[in-house]
Amino acid sequence: MTDSPFHYQQVATAARCIHDGFLDYNRAFREITARAGRRFEERDWKGQMADIAARVELYELWARRTVETLRTELGEDLAGHAFWAEVRECFGLRVEAVPDAGFMKTFFNSITRRVFGTRGVDAAVEFVQPPPEEGIESLTMRRYPCWNDLDQACQRVLQDFAFERPYVNRDADARDMAATIREQLGGGEADADCLRFEFIDSHFFQGTRAYLVGRMRLTDQVRPIVVALRNDDEGIAVDAVLLTAEQVGVVFSYTRSYYFADPTSVVAAVQFLHGLLPDKPIDELYTVLGRLRQGKTERYRQLMHHLDRTDDAFVHAAGDAGLVMIVFTLPSFNLVFKIMRDVFRPPKTTTQEDVHQSYRLVSRHDHAGRLIDTQFFRNLELPRARFSEALIDELMQEAPRTVTAHGDRLVFGHAYVERRVRPLNLYIREVEEAEAKRVILDYGRCIKDLAATNIFAGDLLLKNFGVTSSGRVVFYDYDEVMLVSDCRFYELPEPDEDFPLMEHATTRFVGAHDIFPEEFIRFLAMPAFLRQTFLSEHSDLLTAEYWRDVKRRRVAGEVAEIVPYARQSIAPQQISL
């Protein structure tokens, strides 16, 4: 730094502004997160849903404010790669080895990208390499030795993770916890086999539930343990004890809403969870903990690392071509990339801005285990040589305002990136009849779960739904997503002599949010036996009254309890705010 052509104070000022901006963002993030405990105790589900949206917006808000502060502090000195290389060095030296330093460096990169309008990655001014792992030891844990008595150990856990509102029957809950553990571990020797419980020192709040997240150290293995707590009219009670990686993986799924939790180190908490769920990508764990930008950074790093180690080509994703998005994938990597067409063909009447707003709505909403989390990338660069010629031709012809070629790279002005699932219309052709019937019934439950959380999918064609690796039906085409509370549901009118509506060439004005559920039958493009299966359980979806009732409940402030474990009933329970 002594040979710097820039005044050291200017460099330090820029680095300090970014550091202070991150601290302000992180403080605001933690303040919203801290409210979740009170929301749970007071059963303020409406407030929690508002906090989901507020917290999602924080990063962009503080990144924008930080750039404005820099412009005020530095004026014309803000530009210049040589200057910013020194700012990066100054910043990096001061945050090195600080807990969650990777978050700070990601925030720094976000600022430089806004200053320079960066395409791809600018290694001259950004932190490119991931920070060193912090180690699990930086995560504060609560430990409970088990002295050959699971009931007593479970009692101590619940006592330690108490709320101001009391448990309905803590002793009974502790006995039920212990009984569940014994059953999973094989009975009589469980009390001796369990050495201790280790729980992260924070409640994890999501929807109408609070979770205790930890692991059991046994004599011969380590197993996850997640305890789900509910708060109903009588008080707080244990609702479920989850003890397998499969169960816990669903709780931390990419189709679930973001958690409100405040561990001492988010990086270490992600490492801890990854140790329990080794098949779960790191980026998804960051995202489900509410650190969306870090999740996006990790996803990009994993993609770049994968491209360096493979040679397969990006190709059109499986499924029917969309009228709004061009969707492609890398067969060896479990993501899809969605690029908006410049012009939408009929019958689509939405605009590009409408679509962006629909995706933004989903990012701020309860995912209910039915909406795939989607990340928005600006100026994403990918190697042109890795694209099939057919895909390049379509991108250049259909999205020239978004896709440009720069040397050996393709640059995407904006792209939505999400996990790849098997399109439902393809899946039902590939599986046995019993499995096809199961997923068709889950397709109906998916629509109902979304409705219960105030989401109307808009386009109910099977091709817009997919099946996850765990066999769950999810929705992933957000082009026409609306709030149920914004829709108007009608029966199809009958023709009469005065107004022969059903005659050819006779029209009546229908608004964008006017919905005729009886018409949904035309979306059920499936074999007759599957249609019959669907209608046997979900024929109510084809009635205006069903949707009006859902809307009445949403407008009245009722919230559906949709939980990610086996005790969930087929029909979501409705609770008042």
Side-chain angles (χ1 to χ4, degrees):
M1 298 291 290
T2 55
D3 297 328
S4 168
F6 304 102
H7 193 282
Y8 178 76
Q9 190 56 47
Q10 291 175 302
V11 172
T13 295
R16 175 185 54 79
C17 282
I18 299 172
H19 183 261
D20 290 350
F22 172 82
L23 293 182
D24 288 338
Y25 152 71
N26 209 39
R27 188 178 301 113
F29 184 97
R30 297 185 70 177
E31 285 175 357
I32 293 176
T33 299
R35 293 202 292 258
R38 176 172 55 81
R39 303 281 195 209
F40 177 75
E41 289 193 312
E42 298 176 358
R43 302 172 69 197
D44 181 10
W45 315 130
K46 184 176 181 180
Q48 193 196 62
M49 287 189 291
D51 283 346
I52 291 174
R55 207 174 61 167
V56 166
E57 299 295 329
L58 277 180
Y59 194 93
E60 287 295 329
L61 172 67
W62 282 104
R64 189 166 58 248
R65 287 180 178 177
T66 301
V67 172
E68 292 170 357
T69 300
L70 283 166
R71 295 192 189 283
T72 300
E73 292 274 353
L74 299 175
E76 295 302 318
D77 293 328
L78 189 61
H81 274 68
F83 172 74
W84 275 92
E86 294 196 11
V87 176
R88 181 189 62 178
E89 181 184 2
C90 176
F91 187 91
L93 288 172
R94 282 154 181 79
V95 304
E96 201 64 47
V98 171
D100 293 336
F103 289 176
M104 299 181 188
K105 292 178 179 180
T106 293
F107 189 80
F108 182 96
N109 291 350
S110 296
I111 302 306
T112 66
R113 296 179 68 81
R114 283 161 176 76
V115 169
F116 293 108
T118 308
R119 298 194 314 263
V121 172
D122 189 343
V125 297
E126 294 181 33
F127 292 100
V128 178
Q129 297 299 321
E133 299 288 356
E134 292 180 21
I136 298 295
E137 62 273 6
S138 62
L139 180 65
T140 302
M141 307 289 294
R142 301 186 191 183
R143 295 177 173 85
Y144 305 90
C146 181
W147 308 107
N148 206 36
D149 188 342
L150 279 169
D151 294 69
Q152 185 185 68
C154 292
Q155 177 74 254
R156 291 200 304 271
V157 171
L158 296 181
Q159 182 177 351
D160 206 19
F161 280 96
F163 296 88
E164 290 187 15
R165 192 165 197 231
Y167 287 91
V168 177
N169 190 333
R170 189 173 64 197
D171 291 343
D173 282 343
R175 288 193 297 271
D176 289 345
M177 283 178 60
T180 301
I181 294 169
R182 290 189 189 101
E183 181 181 356
Q184 284 285 324
L185 297 185
E189 301 301 319
D191 291 68
D193 287 343
C194 184
L195 303 179
R196 68 175 179 267
F197 298 123
E198 299 176 341
F199 285 96
I200 295 176
D201 186 21
S202 173
H203 291 91
F204 285 65
F205 298 98
Q206 183 192 74
T208 60
R209 295 293 185 268
Y211 297 90
L212 314 180
V213 178
R215 62 191 174 192
M216 295 187 299
R217 287 199 177 274
L218 308 176
T219 54
D220 60 348
Q221 62 178 310
V222 175
R223 292 186 58 161
I225 178 170
V226 170
V227 181
L229 305 172
R230 70 176 187 273
N231 185 8
D232 56 24
D233 292 339
E234 297 179 349
I236 294 174
V238 172
D239 200 46
V241 181
L242 312 176
L243 299 168
T244 68
E246 181 180 10
Q247 291 172 320
V248 175
V250 172
V251 170
F252 288 96
S253 167
Y254 59 90
T255 65
R256 294 287 165 185
S257 298
Y258 314 127
Y259 277 98
F260 292 85
D262 192 19
T264 49
S265 166
V266 181
V267 172
V270 166
Q271 290 176 252
F272 177 87
L273 289 169
H274 190 59
L276 301 178
L277 306 168
D279 294 332
K280 183 75 65 176
I282 288 286
D283 62 281
E284 290 180 8
L285 292 172
Y286 276 115
T287 299
V288 80
L289 291 183
R291 298 294 185 165
L292 310 186
R293 191 53 59 101
Q294 193 64 26
K296 187 168 130 179
T297 297
E298 294 297 331
R299 174 166 280 183
Y300 179 80
R301 283 175 177 155
Q302 289 172 22
L303 172 62
M304 293 300 106
H305 181 62
H306 184 82
L307 286 172
D308 286 342
R309 295 184 292 112
T310 58
D311 59 5
D312 56 330
F314 288 102
V315 296
H316 287 95
D320 299 346
L323 298 175
V324 171
M325 297 286 191
I326 302 168
V327 185
F328 61 87
T329 188
L330 192 67
S332 61
F333 201 61
N334 197 20
L335 293 178
V336 294
F337 301 78
K338 303 165 79 169
I339 310 300
M340 213 178 303
R341 300 179 190 274
D342 286 358
V343 177
F344 307 156
R345 296 188 181 89
K348 295 292 184 182
T349 58
T350 54
T351 66
Q352 285 200 345
E353 182 57 29
D354 291 336
V355 174
H356 285 309
Q357 290 301 322
S358 293
Y359 275 77
R360 183 170 176 266
L361 167 64
V362 169
S363 74
R364 296 160 51 93
H365 202 79
D366 181 3
H367 290 175
R370 299 293 190 176
L371 296 171
I372 296 179
D373 187 73
T374 300
Q375 294 170 328
F376 181 69
F377 282 80
R378 292 188 180 91
N379 296 324
L380 175 67
E381 276 193 349
L382 295 173
R384 178 170 181 162
R386 298 292 291 272
F387 282 77
S388 69
E389 288 304 317
L391 180 54
I392 290 178
D393 288 345
E394 183 178 15
L395 289 167
M396 292 303 187
Q397 292 175 17
E398 295 286 328
R401 293 204 299 265
T402 300
V403 185
T404 55
H406 289 268
D408 63 351
R409 318 292 286 180
L410 289 182
V411 180
F412 301 87
H414 52 76
Y416 290 98
V417 181
E418 62 191 36
R419 275 287 292 272
R420 186 174 67 218
V421 295
R422 191 63 175 166
L424 180 57
N425 63 319
L426 301 183
Y427 186 85
I428 60 173
R429 303 174 197 164
E430 300 164 346
V431 297
E432 299 294 330
E433 180 176 321
E435 173 64 4
K437 288 182 175 180
R438 184 195 68 79
V439 296
I440 281 299
L441 290 176
D442 199 42
Y443 161 67
R445 286 191 287 270
C446 177
I447 296 171
K448 289 180 175 178
D449 283 351
L450 292 175
T453 58
N454 205 25
I455 288 290
F456 178 66
D459 194 340
L460 303 182
L461 290 169
L462 299 188
K463 71 183 183 70
N464 296 325
F465 294 76
V467 183
T468 68
S469 59
S470 63
R472 187 173 179 82
V473 174
V474 295
F475 182 62
Y476 55 69
D477 189 329
Y478 308 146
D479 303 345
E480 298 180 11
V481 160
M482 295 177 280
L483 296 178
V484 171
S485 55
D486 288 341
C487 297
R488 295 175 293 273
F489 299 96
Y490 300 106
E491 291 91 1
L492 282 173
E494 295 292 337
D496 55 48
E497 293 181 0
D498 296 328
F499 193 81
L501 177 66
M502 307 307 287
E503 289 187 7
H504 179 67
T506 302
T507 60
R508 175 183 288 178
F509 175 76
V510 176
H513 290 184
D514 292 344
I515 311 296
F516 297 89
E518 290 171 78
E519 291 190 316
F520 294 171
I521 195 70
R522 66 188 178 91
F523 294 113
L524 305 183
M526 61 183 76
F529 77 95
L530 288 181
R531 181 179 296 201
Q532 182 179 359
T533 299
F534 177 86
L535 293 175
S536 70
E537 187 172 306
H538 300 302
S539 59
D540 51 350
L541 286 171
L542 308 183
T543 67
E545 184 52 38
Y546 171 85
W547 290 95
R548 288 172 185 159
D549 181 60
V550 171
K551 179 177 178 177
R552 280 193 294 267
R553 291 173 181 272
R554 302 290 76 77
V555 172
E558 291 187 3
V559 174
E561 291 192 297
I562 302 175
V563 295
Y565 44 83
R567 288 190 180 185
Q568 178 183 358
S569 61
I570 291 177
Q573 181 183 350
Q574 307 291 331
I575 58 176
S576 298
L577 292 171

